[in-house]
Amino acid sequence: MALSGFFHTLNTVILGVLIGAIGVKVSEQLEAQTRLISSLLLVFMGLIYFAMHDASAPHEHVPKQPSPIRDWPV
């Protein structure tokens, strides 16, 4: 019984190392594509934001008048 548990653990560790090594290789191969795709996605989102911006919309930096109900003294 102890021998089967040992081999089960050993097999699990070996599979974990193999899967980890495969993941590292895949990650190394896809790094350039991931950087390109994320950069293009950010540029695309910026273009959408720029296209949706309405330059003729009113824009002020003056604070609004305080609400008489909300700003009662406590």
Side-chain angles (χ1 to χ4, degrees), residues 8-66:
H8 173 75
T9 303
L10 181 65
N11 187 33
T12 302
V13 169
I14 291 172
L15 281 174
V17 169
L18 287 174
I19 291 172
I22 291 170
V24 168
K25 288 288 186 184
V26 169
S27 175
E28 289 172 355
Q29 291 176 352
L30 295 180
E31 183 177 5
Q33 290 86 355
T34 303
R35 288 178 189 246
L36 176 67
I37 290 170
S38 61
S39 299
L40 291 175
L41 184 61
L42 285 173
V43 168
F44 181 69
M45 288 171 57
L47 290 173
I48 289 175
Y49 177 78
F50 183 72
M52 291 176 62
H53 178 71
D54 185 8
S56 64
H59 182 84
E60 297 179 0
H61 289 275
V62 178
K64 295 181 180 179
Q65 294 296 325

